[in-house]
Amino acid sequence: MAIDETQHRLDGRRTVPDHHGRGPATDLHDGREPTTDLHGDAGPEPRRGPDPDPARRPTALEQAGGVRGIVYSSLPVIAFVIGNSLGGLRAAIIAAVALAVAIAAERLLRKESVMPAVGGVFGVAIAAGISWWTGSAKDYFLIGIWSNLALAVVFALSVLARRPLAGVVWYSMTGKGMAWREDRRARRCFGIATIVLTVIFAARFAVQQYLYAADEVGSLGTAKILMGYPLLAVGVLAVAWAARASRRVPEAGERTPRQS
C-alpha cells in the first residue's frame, strides 16, 4: 500500500490523501516546488522577487567629481591669476587652458564622469576667449559675475510666483512630479531654501562686480574660489533642510487639507 501511494505521488496522476485526515496532499505537478524530497533532504529555496534595493542615485558631490573635482575646478582660476601676475594676459590664458585640458585628460584616464571634464574645459575656454577678445584679464570672470546676477533674479522671481526653484529642482531630481506645489508647507519650506540661494547668488554678484570695477584681478580669483563651492554647500544644506521639513508630498491627484 505504501509503495502504491509513493508511485501515485511520483506520477502526479491523482492527489494522495494525508495519513492524518487533513485532506489531500499537494500534487507535485501543481506548479510549486517541493520543500523536501522523498529522503527528507531540503529542497530548493522558494523563489524570491527581484532585489528591492534600486540603483543608488549619485549625489551632487559625486556628480561634480567628488572632493577632487571641487579642487580641480579651482585650479584653472589659480593658474590664470598667477599667470597674469607673472607673464601677462597671454601667459594667463595659456596656463588656464592648458591646466583645464590636463585635468580633463586625467579624469578621462581615471574613467571618471565625462561631463565635469568636458564642462570644465568648455567653461575655461569660453572665459579665456572673452578675455583674449577684450584684451582685459578681469573679463575672464565676466560670465561668472553676470551669471550670478541672472540666477539671483530667476530664483527671486520663482518665489514671488509661488513656484520656488529649489523645490522644482529637488522634486524633478527625485522624480516625484509637481504635486508638491499644491502643498503650502512644502512651498513655504522650499521658498526659504530658494531665498537662501538667491542671497548667495546676489552676494557673489555684488562682491565680484565690485572687485571687477576696481580692476582687482587677483582678488577676483580669490573671491570666485571662496564664494564658489563653500557657499553652494550652504545652499545645498538649505534645500536638504526644506526636503526634511516638508511633510509628505501628495501624489498626483491627491488632495490634502493644506492645499490652497
Side-chain angles (χ1 to χ4, degrees), residues 163-185:
R163 297 294 185 268
L165 271 180
V168 173
V169 173
W170 175 264
Y171 284 108
S172 296
M173 292 177 60
T174 55
K176 292 186 177 180
M178 294 293 108
W180 66 275
R181 295 182 304 183
E182 304 302 326
D183 186 89
R184 286 184 295 176
R185 180 178 177 85

Side-chain angles (χ1 to χ4, degrees), residues 4-210:
D4 291 338
E5 289 181 350
T6 302
Q7 184 64 38
H8 282 304
R9 287 178 182 266
L10 294 177
D11 291 342
R13 294 173 182 171
R14 65 180 178 85
T15 57
V16 181
D18 188 13
H19 294 294
H20 299 284
R22 291 187 300 236
T26 302
D27 192 345
L28 291 180
H29 293 274
D30 63 354
R32 292 175 292 178
E33 296 288 344
T35 56
T36 58
D37 59 18
L38 294 178
H39 300 284
D41 297 331
E45 291 290 333
R47 180 174 296 179
R48 293 183 174 88
D51 188 359
D53 187 16
R56 185 174 63 88
R57 182 184 296 274
T59 64
L61 180 61
E62 292 171 342
Q63 292 177 357
V67 177
R68 182 186 290 109
I70 293 176
V71 174
Y72 281 177
S73 66
S74 303
L75 294 180
V77 176
I78 297 174
F80 183 88
V81 172
I82 294 176
N84 183 69
S85 63
L86 296 179
L89 180 59
R90 182 188 295 270
I93 292 175
I94 293 175
V97 174
L99 187 55
V101 172
I103 291 172
E106 194 269 346
R107 278 180 164 177
L108 294 177
L109 288 176
R110 293 173 62 90
K111 297 182 179 179
E112 296 180 358
S113 177
V114 177
M115 290 306 297
V118 175
V121 174
F122 184 76
V124 171
I126 294 297
I130 293 175
S131 183
W132 176 263
W133 182 61
T134 61
S136 175
K138 67 180 182 180
D139 288 340
Y140 180 86
F141 305 94
L142 200 58
I143 291 181
I145 292 173
W146 291 100
S147 295
N148 283 315
L149 177 60
L151 288 171
V153 171
V154 171
F155 273 67
L157 290 177
S158 73
V159 175
L160 295 177
R162 303 175 68 186
R163 297 294 185 268
L165 271 180
V168 173
V169 173
W170 175 264
Y171 284 108
S172 296
M173 292 177 60
T174 55
K176 292 186 177 180
M178 294 293 108
W180 66 275
R181 295 182 304 183
E182 304 302 326
D183 186 89
R184 286 184 295 176
R185 180 178 177 85
R187 285 203 313 269
R188 182 169 61 251
C189 293
F190 281 103
I192 295 173
T194 303
I195 292 174
V196 172
L197 290 169
T198 301
V199 172
I200 290 174
F201 294 132
R204 285 178 178 176
F205 170 77
V207 172
Q208 295 177 27
Q209 177 61 25
Y210 172 80

